[in-house]
Every structure is written in C-alpha cells, then in structure tokens.
Amino acid sequence: MPDNERTYPDNSDIHARKAEGRRQRAKLSFAEKLVAVDELRARVEPIVRAREARKLTKPQSG
C-alpha cells in the first residue's frame, strides 16, 4: 500500500442515531427511566446467572 492514508467507512449515520437515542432517553421521566433499567436487568439476568454458574463449576487455581 503506497499510500499511508487509511480510509474509514462513513459512520455519521450511526453517530446520528446514537445522538437521537440519547435525546429521546433524556426526555423520559424519571419513572420511565427506572422502568427501562428494570427491563434491562430482566434481559441481562440470564447472562448473569450463566456467568455465576460457570464460576461455580470452574476449578479454582492457586
């Protein structure tokens, strides 16, 4: 590659969507934000359980 300048894909649409999502979440009431946190916890809970189960079955080193 004679040219040391790299070209990167245009991510401006991704950044615009993220910014819009931040604006929408900022408009939510505190109660709505708490509901969103509870929903996220419910979605993550199976992953947390699996991680804890894996820790219990993993042999302890040291």
Short mmCIF file of all heavy atoms in Angstrom, two decimals:
data_model
loop_
_atom_site.label_atom_id
_atom_site.label_comp_id
_atom_site.label_asym_id
_atom_site.label_seq_id
_atom_site.Cartn_x
_atom_site.Cartn_y
_atom_site.Cartn_z
N MET A 1 0.85 -1.18 0.00
CA MET A 1 0.00 0.00 0.00
C MET A 1 0.89 1.24 0.00
O MET A 1 1.47 1.59 1.03
CB MET A 1 -0.91 -0.03 1.23
CG MET A 1 -1.88 1.10 1.28
SD MET A 1 -2.83 1.15 2.81
CE MET A 1 -4.10 -0.01 2.48
N PRO A 2 1.07 1.88 -1.15
CA PRO A 2 1.96 3.03 -1.22
C PRO A 2 1.42 4.23 -0.44
O PRO A 2 2.16 5.08 0.01
CB PRO A 2 2.05 3.33 -2.71
CG PRO A 2 0.83 2.73 -3.29
CD PRO A 2 0.47 1.57 -2.42
N ASP A 3 0.16 4.29 -0.30
CA ASP A 3 -0.49 5.41 0.35
C ASP A 3 -0.68 5.08 1.84
O ASP A 3 -1.33 4.12 2.18
CB ASP A 3 -1.84 5.65 -0.34
CG ASP A 3 -2.48 6.91 0.15
OD1 ASP A 3 -1.95 7.99 -0.14
OD2 ASP A 3 -3.52 6.80 0.80
N ASN A 4 -0.06 5.84 2.74
CA ASN A 4 -0.16 5.58 4.17
C ASN A 4 -1.47 6.08 4.78
O ASN A 4 -1.73 5.87 5.96
CB ASN A 4 1.00 6.22 4.92
CG ASN A 4 2.27 5.42 4.76
OD1 ASN A 4 2.22 4.27 4.33
ND2 ASN A 4 3.39 6.02 5.08
N GLU A 5 -2.27 6.74 4.00
CA GLU A 5 -3.52 7.27 4.49
C GLU A 5 -4.61 6.20 4.42
O GLU A 5 -4.86 5.64 3.36
CB GLU A 5 -3.93 8.49 3.67
CG GLU A 5 -4.69 9.50 4.45
CD GLU A 5 -4.88 10.76 3.65
OE1 GLU A 5 -3.89 11.44 3.36
OE2 GLU A 5 -6.04 11.02 3.32
N ARG A 6 -5.21 5.90 5.54
CA ARG A 6 -6.27 4.89 5.56
C ARG A 6 -7.62 5.55 5.31
O ARG A 6 -7.84 6.70 5.71
CB ARG A 6 -6.31 4.18 6.90
CG ARG A 6 -5.09 3.35 7.15
CD ARG A 6 -5.25 2.59 8.42
NE ARG A 6 -4.05 1.80 8.65
CZ ARG A 6 -3.91 0.96 9.63
NH1 ARG A 6 -4.87 0.81 10.51
NH2 ARG A 6 -2.80 0.27 9.77
N THR A 7 -8.49 4.79 4.70
CA THR A 7 -9.85 5.29 4.52
C THR A 7 -10.77 4.47 5.41
O THR A 7 -10.65 3.25 5.50
CB THR A 7 -10.30 5.16 3.05
OG1 THR A 7 -10.21 3.80 2.67
CG2 THR A 7 -9.44 6.01 2.14
N TYR A 8 -11.64 5.15 6.08
CA TYR A 8 -12.56 4.52 7.00
C TYR A 8 -13.99 4.67 6.48
O TYR A 8 -14.30 5.64 5.79
CB TYR A 8 -12.44 5.15 8.40
CG TYR A 8 -11.09 4.92 9.02
CD1 TYR A 8 -10.10 5.89 8.98
CD2 TYR A 8 -10.80 3.72 9.66
CE1 TYR A 8 -8.85 5.67 9.54
CE2 TYR A 8 -9.56 3.49 10.23
CZ TYR A 8 -8.60 4.47 10.17
OH TYR A 8 -7.38 4.24 10.74
N PRO A 9 -14.86 3.73 6.85
CA PRO A 9 -16.24 3.85 6.39
C PRO A 9 -16.92 5.07 7.04
O PRO A 9 -16.52 5.53 8.12
CB PRO A 9 -16.89 2.55 6.86
CG PRO A 9 -16.00 2.03 7.93
CD PRO A 9 -14.63 2.54 7.64
N ASP A 10 -17.93 5.55 6.39
CA ASP A 10 -18.68 6.69 6.90
C ASP A 10 -19.60 6.22 8.02
O ASP A 10 -20.55 5.47 7.79
CB ASP A 10 -19.49 7.32 5.77
CG ASP A 10 -20.28 8.52 6.24
OD1 ASP A 10 -19.96 9.08 7.31
OD2 ASP A 10 -21.24 8.90 5.54
N ASN A 11 -19.32 6.63 9.24
CA ASN A 11 -20.11 6.23 10.40
C ASN A 11 -21.06 7.34 10.87
O ASN A 11 -21.64 7.24 11.95
CB ASN A 11 -19.19 5.86 11.56
CG ASN A 11 -18.39 4.62 11.27
OD1 ASN A 11 -18.83 3.76 10.52
ND2 ASN A 11 -17.21 4.53 11.85
N SER A 12 -21.23 8.38 10.08
CA SER A 12 -22.02 9.51 10.53
C SER A 12 -23.47 9.13 10.81
O SER A 12 -24.08 9.66 11.74
CB SER A 12 -21.97 10.65 9.51
OG SER A 12 -22.44 10.20 8.26
N ASP A 13 -24.03 8.16 10.05
CA ASP A 13 -25.41 7.74 10.32
C ASP A 13 -25.52 7.02 11.67
O ASP A 13 -26.49 7.22 12.40
CB ASP A 13 -25.94 6.85 9.20
CG ASP A 13 -25.10 5.60 8.97
OD1 ASP A 13 -23.88 5.64 9.20
OD2 ASP A 13 -25.68 4.57 8.59
N ILE A 14 -24.51 6.26 12.02
CA ILE A 14 -24.51 5.57 13.31
C ILE A 14 -24.45 6.59 14.44
O ILE A 14 -25.20 6.51 15.41
CB ILE A 14 -23.32 4.59 13.40
CG1 ILE A 14 -23.49 3.47 12.38
CG2 ILE A 14 -23.18 4.03 14.82
CD1 ILE A 14 -22.28 2.58 12.22
N HIS A 15 -23.57 7.58 14.30
CA HIS A 15 -23.44 8.60 15.34
C HIS A 15 -24.72 9.42 15.45
O HIS A 15 -25.12 9.79 16.57
CB HIS A 15 -22.24 9.50 15.04
CG HIS A 15 -20.93 8.79 15.13
ND1 HIS A 15 -20.41 8.33 16.31
CD2 HIS A 15 -20.05 8.43 14.17
CE1 HIS A 15 -19.26 7.73 16.08
NE2 HIS A 15 -19.02 7.76 14.79
N ALA A 16 -25.37 9.69 14.35
CA ALA A 16 -26.63 10.46 14.38
C ALA A 16 -27.72 9.67 15.09
O ALA A 16 -28.48 10.24 15.90
CB ALA A 16 -27.06 10.81 12.96
N ARG A 17 -27.81 8.36 14.84
CA ARG A 17 -28.82 7.53 15.52
C ARG A 17 -28.55 7.46 17.01
O ARG A 17 -29.48 7.52 17.83
CB ARG A 17 -28.85 6.12 14.92
CG ARG A 17 -29.57 6.04 13.59
CD ARG A 17 -29.89 4.60 13.22
NE ARG A 17 -28.78 3.68 13.43
CZ ARG A 17 -27.96 3.22 12.48
NH1 ARG A 17 -28.12 3.61 11.23
NH2 ARG A 17 -26.99 2.37 12.76
N LYS A 18 -27.28 7.34 17.37
CA LYS A 18 -26.94 7.28 18.79
C LYS A 18 -27.30 8.60 19.48
O LYS A 18 -27.85 8.61 20.59
CB LYS A 18 -25.45 6.99 18.97
CG LYS A 18 -25.08 5.56 18.62
CD LYS A 18 -23.60 5.32 18.76
CE LYS A 18 -23.25 5.15 20.21
NZ LYS A 18 -21.89 4.63 20.40
N ALA A 19 -27.01 9.71 18.84
CA ALA A 19 -27.33 11.02 19.42
C ALA A 19 -28.84 11.18 19.57
O ALA A 19 -29.31 11.69 20.59
CB ALA A 19 -26.76 12.13 18.54
N GLU A 20 -29.59 10.74 18.58
CA GLU A 20 -31.05 10.82 18.67
C GLU A 20 -31.58 9.95 19.80
O GLU A 20 -32.47 10.36 20.55
CB GLU A 20 -31.70 10.41 17.34
CG GLU A 20 -33.21 10.47 17.34
CD GLU A 20 -33.77 11.84 17.68
OE1 GLU A 20 -33.11 12.85 17.38
OE2 GLU A 20 -34.88 11.90 18.25
N GLY A 21 -31.02 8.77 19.96
CA GLY A 21 -31.43 7.90 21.06
C GLY A 21 -31.14 8.54 22.41
O GLY A 21 -31.95 8.44 23.34
N ARG A 22 -29.99 9.21 22.53
CA ARG A 22 -29.66 9.90 23.78
C ARG A 22 -30.66 11.01 24.06
O ARG A 22 -31.09 11.19 25.21
CB ARG A 22 -28.25 10.47 23.71
CG ARG A 22 -27.17 9.43 23.77
CD ARG A 22 -25.80 10.09 23.84
NE ARG A 22 -24.78 9.10 23.61
CZ ARG A 22 -24.08 8.98 22.49
NH1 ARG A 22 -24.28 9.81 21.49
NH2 ARG A 22 -23.18 8.04 22.36
N ARG A 23 -31.03 11.75 23.02
CA ARG A 23 -32.02 12.83 23.21
C ARG A 23 -33.36 12.27 23.65
O ARG A 23 -34.02 12.82 24.54
CB ARG A 23 -32.17 13.64 21.92
CG ARG A 23 -31.05 14.62 21.68
CD ARG A 23 -31.36 15.57 20.54
NE ARG A 23 -31.36 14.89 19.25
CZ ARG A 23 -30.30 14.71 18.48
NH1 ARG A 23 -29.13 15.16 18.87
NH2 ARG A 23 -30.38 14.09 17.33
N GLN A 24 -33.77 11.16 23.03
CA GLN A 24 -35.06 10.56 23.39
C GLN A 24 -35.03 10.06 24.84
O GLN A 24 -35.99 10.26 25.58
CB GLN A 24 -35.40 9.41 22.45
CG GLN A 24 -35.81 9.87 21.08
CD GLN A 24 -36.06 8.70 20.13
OE1 GLN A 24 -35.82 7.55 20.48
NE2 GLN A 24 -36.54 9.01 18.94
N ARG A 25 -33.95 9.41 25.25
CA ARG A 25 -33.85 8.92 26.63
C ARG A 25 -33.80 10.08 27.62
O ARG A 25 -34.33 9.98 28.73
CB ARG A 25 -32.64 8.01 26.80
CG ARG A 25 -32.87 6.63 26.20
CD ARG A 25 -31.78 5.66 26.57
NE ARG A 25 -30.44 6.11 26.20
CZ ARG A 25 -29.91 5.98 24.99
NH1 ARG A 25 -30.59 5.39 24.03
NH2 ARG A 25 -28.69 6.41 24.75
N ALA A 26 -33.19 11.19 27.24
CA ALA A 26 -33.11 12.34 28.13
C ALA A 26 -34.49 12.94 28.38
O ALA A 26 -34.74 13.52 29.44
CB ALA A 26 -32.17 13.40 27.54
N LYS A 27 -35.39 12.80 27.41
CA LYS A 27 -36.75 13.34 27.55
C LYS A 27 -37.64 12.50 28.46
O LYS A 27 -38.69 12.97 28.89
CB LYS A 27 -37.41 13.45 26.18
CG LYS A 27 -36.82 14.51 25.29
CD LYS A 27 -37.53 14.51 23.94
CE LYS A 27 -36.88 15.47 22.98
NZ LYS A 27 -37.55 15.44 21.67
N LEU A 28 -37.25 11.27 28.75
CA LEU A 28 -38.08 10.40 29.56
C LEU A 28 -38.17 10.91 31.00
O LEU A 28 -37.24 11.52 31.51
CB LEU A 28 -37.52 8.97 29.58
CG LEU A 28 -37.48 8.21 28.26
CD1 LEU A 28 -36.80 6.86 28.47
CD2 LEU A 28 -38.86 8.02 27.70
N SER A 29 -39.28 10.61 31.64
CA SER A 29 -39.41 10.95 33.06
C SER A 29 -38.55 10.00 33.86
O SER A 29 -38.11 8.95 33.37
CB SER A 29 -40.87 10.82 33.49
OG SER A 29 -41.25 9.45 33.52
N PHE A 30 -38.33 10.35 35.11
CA PHE A 30 -37.51 9.50 35.98
C PHE A 30 -38.14 8.12 36.12
O PHE A 30 -37.44 7.11 36.06
CB PHE A 30 -37.34 10.16 37.35
CG PHE A 30 -36.38 9.44 38.23
CD1 PHE A 30 -35.02 9.46 37.98
CD2 PHE A 30 -36.85 8.72 39.32
CE1 PHE A 30 -34.13 8.78 38.79
CE2 PHE A 30 -35.95 8.04 40.14
CZ PHE A 30 -34.60 8.08 39.88
N ALA A 31 -39.45 8.06 36.26
CA ALA A 31 -40.14 6.78 36.39
C ALA A 31 -39.96 5.93 35.14
O ALA A 31 -39.74 4.72 35.23
CB ALA A 31 -41.62 7.00 36.67
N GLU A 32 -40.01 6.56 33.97
CA GLU A 32 -39.81 5.82 32.72
C GLU A 32 -38.39 5.29 32.62
O GLU A 32 -38.16 4.19 32.11
CB GLU A 32 -40.13 6.71 31.52
CG GLU A 32 -41.61 7.04 31.39
CD GLU A 32 -41.89 8.11 30.35
OE1 GLU A 32 -41.11 9.08 30.27
OE2 GLU A 32 -42.89 7.96 29.63
N LYS A 33 -37.44 6.07 33.11
CA LYS A 33 -36.05 5.61 33.10
C LYS A 33 -35.87 4.42 34.04
O LYS A 33 -35.13 3.48 33.72
CB LYS A 33 -35.12 6.75 33.50
CG LYS A 33 -35.03 7.83 32.43
CD LYS A 33 -34.21 9.02 32.88
CE LYS A 33 -34.24 10.11 31.82
NZ LYS A 33 -33.56 11.31 32.23
N LEU A 34 -36.55 4.44 35.18
CA LEU A 34 -36.48 3.31 36.10
C LEU A 34 -37.08 2.05 35.47
O LEU A 34 -36.54 0.96 35.65
CB LEU A 34 -37.20 3.63 37.42
CG LEU A 34 -36.51 4.65 38.31
CD1 LEU A 34 -37.36 4.91 39.54
CD2 LEU A 34 -35.13 4.19 38.70
N VAL A 35 -38.16 2.20 34.74
CA VAL A 35 -38.76 1.06 34.03
C VAL A 35 -37.76 0.50 33.02
O VAL A 35 -37.60 -0.71 32.90
CB VAL A 35 -40.08 1.48 33.35
CG1 VAL A 35 -40.57 0.41 32.39
CG2 VAL A 35 -41.14 1.79 34.39
N ALA A 36 -37.07 1.38 32.30
CA ALA A 36 -36.08 0.94 31.32
C ALA A 36 -34.95 0.17 31.99
O ALA A 36 -34.50 -0.86 31.47
CB ALA A 36 -35.53 2.15 30.55
N VAL A 37 -34.51 0.63 33.16
CA VAL A 37 -33.45 -0.06 33.89
C VAL A 37 -33.93 -1.44 34.32
O VAL A 37 -33.20 -2.43 34.19
CB VAL A 37 -32.99 0.77 35.12
CG1 VAL A 37 -32.10 -0.05 36.04
CG2 VAL A 37 -32.25 2.02 34.66
N ASP A 38 -35.17 -1.52 34.81
CA ASP A 38 -35.73 -2.82 35.21
C ASP A 38 -35.82 -3.77 34.02
O ASP A 38 -35.52 -4.96 34.14
CB ASP A 38 -37.10 -2.65 35.85
CG ASP A 38 -37.03 -2.03 37.24
OD1 ASP A 38 -35.95 -2.09 37.86
OD2 ASP A 38 -38.05 -1.48 37.68
N GLU A 39 -36.19 -3.26 32.86
CA GLU A 39 -36.27 -4.09 31.66
C GLU A 39 -34.89 -4.59 31.25
O GLU A 39 -34.72 -5.75 30.87
CB GLU A 39 -36.92 -3.31 30.51
CG GLU A 39 -38.41 -3.07 30.72
CD GLU A 39 -39.01 -2.13 29.69
OE1 GLU A 39 -38.26 -1.54 28.87
OE2 GLU A 39 -40.23 -1.96 29.73
N LEU A 40 -33.89 -3.72 31.35
CA LEU A 40 -32.52 -4.13 31.03
C LEU A 40 -32.04 -5.20 32.00
O LEU A 40 -31.39 -6.17 31.59
CB LEU A 40 -31.58 -2.93 31.05
CG LEU A 40 -31.70 -1.98 29.87
CD1 LEU A 40 -30.86 -0.72 30.13
CD2 LEU A 40 -31.26 -2.65 28.59
N ARG A 41 -32.34 -5.02 33.28
CA ARG A 41 -31.95 -6.03 34.27
C ARG A 41 -32.57 -7.38 33.95
O ARG A 41 -31.92 -8.42 34.08
CB ARG A 41 -32.39 -5.60 35.67
CG ARG A 41 -31.44 -4.66 36.32
CD ARG A 41 -31.72 -4.57 37.81
NE ARG A 41 -30.88 -3.54 38.38
CZ ARG A 41 -31.34 -2.50 39.06
NH1 ARG A 41 -32.62 -2.36 39.28
NH2 ARG A 41 -30.50 -1.62 39.53
N ALA A 42 -33.84 -7.37 33.54
CA ALA A 42 -34.52 -8.62 33.21
C ALA A 42 -33.86 -9.29 32.00
O ALA A 42 -33.73 -10.52 31.95
CB ALA A 42 -35.99 -8.36 32.93
N ARG A 43 -33.43 -8.48 31.04
CA ARG A 43 -32.79 -9.04 29.84
C ARG A 43 -31.41 -9.59 30.15
O ARG A 43 -30.96 -10.56 29.54
CB ARG A 43 -32.69 -7.97 28.75
CG ARG A 43 -34.04 -7.63 28.14
CD ARG A 43 -33.98 -6.47 27.20
NE ARG A 43 -32.96 -6.60 26.18
CZ ARG A 43 -32.60 -5.61 25.38
NH1 ARG A 43 -33.17 -4.43 25.49
NH2 ARG A 43 -31.67 -5.80 24.46
N VAL A 44 -30.69 -8.98 31.09
CA VAL A 44 -29.33 -9.37 31.41
C VAL A 44 -29.30 -10.53 32.42
O VAL A 44 -28.32 -11.26 32.49
CB VAL A 44 -28.55 -8.14 31.94
CG1 VAL A 44 -27.22 -8.53 32.52
CG2 VAL A 44 -28.38 -7.13 30.84
N GLU A 45 -30.36 -10.70 33.16
CA GLU A 45 -30.39 -11.68 34.25
C GLU A 45 -29.97 -13.09 33.82
O GLU A 45 -29.17 -13.72 34.52
CB GLU A 45 -31.79 -11.69 34.88
CG GLU A 45 -31.86 -12.37 36.21
CD GLU A 45 -32.41 -13.76 36.07
OE1 GLU A 45 -33.14 -14.01 35.11
OE2 GLU A 45 -32.08 -14.60 36.92
N PRO A 46 -30.42 -13.64 32.69
CA PRO A 46 -29.95 -14.97 32.28
C PRO A 46 -28.43 -15.02 32.05
O PRO A 46 -27.79 -16.02 32.36
CB PRO A 46 -30.70 -15.25 30.98
CG PRO A 46 -31.86 -14.33 30.99
CD PRO A 46 -31.45 -13.14 31.78
N ILE A 47 -27.87 -13.95 31.56
CA ILE A 47 -26.43 -13.90 31.33
C ILE A 47 -25.69 -13.91 32.66
O ILE A 47 -24.69 -14.62 32.83
CB ILE A 47 -26.06 -12.65 30.50
CG1 ILE A 47 -26.74 -12.71 29.13
CG2 ILE A 47 -24.55 -12.49 30.37
CD1 ILE A 47 -26.68 -11.42 28.35
N VAL A 48 -26.19 -13.15 33.62
CA VAL A 48 -25.57 -13.09 34.94
C VAL A 48 -25.65 -14.46 35.61
O VAL A 48 -24.66 -14.94 36.18
CB VAL A 48 -26.25 -12.01 35.81
CG1 VAL A 48 -25.76 -12.06 37.25
CG2 VAL A 48 -26.02 -10.63 35.22
N ARG A 49 -26.81 -15.11 35.52
CA ARG A 49 -26.96 -16.45 36.10
C ARG A 49 -25.98 -17.43 35.48
O ARG A 49 -25.34 -18.23 36.17
CB ARG A 49 -28.39 -16.97 35.93
CG ARG A 49 -29.27 -16.62 37.11
CD ARG A 49 -30.59 -17.36 37.06
NE ARG A 49 -31.44 -16.81 36.01
CZ ARG A 49 -31.99 -17.51 35.02
NH1 ARG A 49 -31.82 -18.79 34.95
NH2 ARG A 49 -32.73 -16.92 34.11
N ALA A 50 -25.83 -17.39 34.17
CA ALA A 50 -24.92 -18.29 33.47
C ALA A 50 -23.47 -18.03 33.90
O ALA A 50 -22.70 -18.97 34.10
CB ALA A 50 -25.06 -18.13 31.96
N ARG A 51 -23.12 -16.77 34.04
CA ARG A 51 -21.76 -16.43 34.47
C ARG A 51 -21.49 -16.96 35.88
O ARG A 51 -20.43 -17.52 36.15
CB ARG A 51 -21.55 -14.93 34.43
CG ARG A 51 -20.15 -14.51 34.84
CD ARG A 51 -19.96 -13.02 34.88
NE ARG A 51 -20.18 -12.45 33.57
CZ ARG A 51 -20.73 -11.25 33.37
NH1 ARG A 51 -21.12 -10.52 34.37
NH2 ARG A 51 -20.89 -10.79 32.14
N GLU A 52 -22.45 -16.76 36.78
CA GLU A 52 -22.29 -17.25 38.14
C GLU A 52 -22.18 -18.78 38.18
O GLU A 52 -21.37 -19.34 38.91
CB GLU A 52 -23.44 -16.78 39.03
CG GLU A 52 -23.46 -15.28 39.26
CD GLU A 52 -22.20 -14.76 39.92
OE1 GLU A 52 -21.68 -15.42 40.84
OE2 GLU A 52 -21.72 -13.68 39.51
N ALA A 53 -22.98 -19.46 37.37
CA ALA A 53 -22.92 -20.92 37.32
C ALA A 53 -21.57 -21.38 36.78
O ALA A 53 -21.00 -22.35 37.26
CB ALA A 53 -24.04 -21.47 36.44
N ARG A 54 -21.05 -20.66 35.79
CA ARG A 54 -19.75 -21.00 35.22
C ARG A 54 -18.64 -20.80 36.26
O ARG A 54 -17.71 -21.60 36.34
CB ARG A 54 -19.50 -20.15 33.98
CG ARG A 54 -18.38 -20.64 33.12
CD ARG A 54 -18.30 -19.94 31.77
NE ARG A 54 -18.33 -18.49 31.86
CZ ARG A 54 -19.33 -17.73 31.41
NH1 ARG A 54 -20.39 -18.27 30.86
NH2 ARG A 54 -19.28 -16.41 31.51
N LYS A 55 -18.75 -19.75 37.06
CA LYS A 55 -17.76 -19.51 38.11
C LYS A 55 -17.76 -20.65 39.12
O LYS A 55 -16.71 -21.04 39.63
CB LYS A 55 -18.05 -18.20 38.84
CG LYS A 55 -17.64 -16.97 38.09
CD LYS A 55 -17.94 -15.76 38.94
CE LYS A 55 -17.69 -14.47 38.20
NZ LYS A 55 -18.06 -13.30 39.03
N LEU A 56 -18.95 -21.17 39.44
CA LEU A 56 -19.05 -22.24 40.43
C LEU A 56 -18.45 -23.55 39.91
O LEU A 56 -17.91 -24.33 40.70
CB LEU A 56 -20.51 -22.47 40.83
CG LEU A 56 -21.15 -21.34 41.64
CD1 LEU A 56 -22.62 -21.63 41.86
CD2 LEU A 56 -20.42 -21.12 42.95
N THR A 57 -18.53 -23.80 38.62
CA THR A 57 -18.03 -25.05 38.07
C THR A 57 -16.57 -24.95 37.64
O THR A 57 -15.95 -25.97 37.39
CB THR A 57 -18.87 -25.50 36.85
OG1 THR A 57 -18.80 -24.50 35.86
CG2 THR A 57 -20.31 -25.75 37.25
N LYS A 58 -16.04 -23.74 37.56
CA LYS A 58 -14.65 -23.54 37.13
C LYS A 58 -13.72 -23.93 38.27
O LYS A 58 -13.91 -23.52 39.42
CB LYS A 58 -14.46 -22.06 36.78
CG LYS A 58 -13.23 -21.76 36.01
CD LYS A 58 -13.24 -20.29 35.62
CE LYS A 58 -12.23 -20.03 34.54
NZ LYS A 58 -12.22 -18.62 34.16
N PRO A 59 -12.69 -24.74 37.99
CA PRO A 59 -11.75 -25.11 39.06
C PRO A 59 -10.99 -23.90 39.56
O PRO A 59 -10.60 -23.03 38.79
CB PRO A 59 -10.82 -26.10 38.41
CG PRO A 59 -11.00 -25.96 36.94
CD PRO A 59 -12.34 -25.32 36.72
N GLN A 60 -10.82 -23.83 40.86
CA GLN A 60 -10.11 -22.72 41.49
C GLN A 60 -8.60 -22.93 41.33
O GLN A 60 -8.09 -23.99 41.62
CB GLN A 60 -10.45 -22.64 42.98
CG GLN A 60 -11.91 -22.37 43.26
CD GLN A 60 -12.33 -20.98 42.81
OE1 GLN A 60 -11.55 -20.04 42.89
NE2 GLN A 60 -13.57 -20.85 42.34
N SER A 61 -7.91 -21.91 40.87
CA SER A 61 -6.45 -22.02 40.73
C SER A 61 -5.79 -21.30 41.91
O SER A 61 -6.29 -20.31 42.41
CB SER A 61 -5.99 -21.38 39.42
OG SER A 61 -6.33 -20.01 39.38
N GLY A 62 -4.63 -21.81 42.33
CA GLY A 62 -3.86 -21.15 43.36
C GLY A 62 -4.03 -21.77 44.64
O GLY A 62 -4.14 -21.94 45.65
#
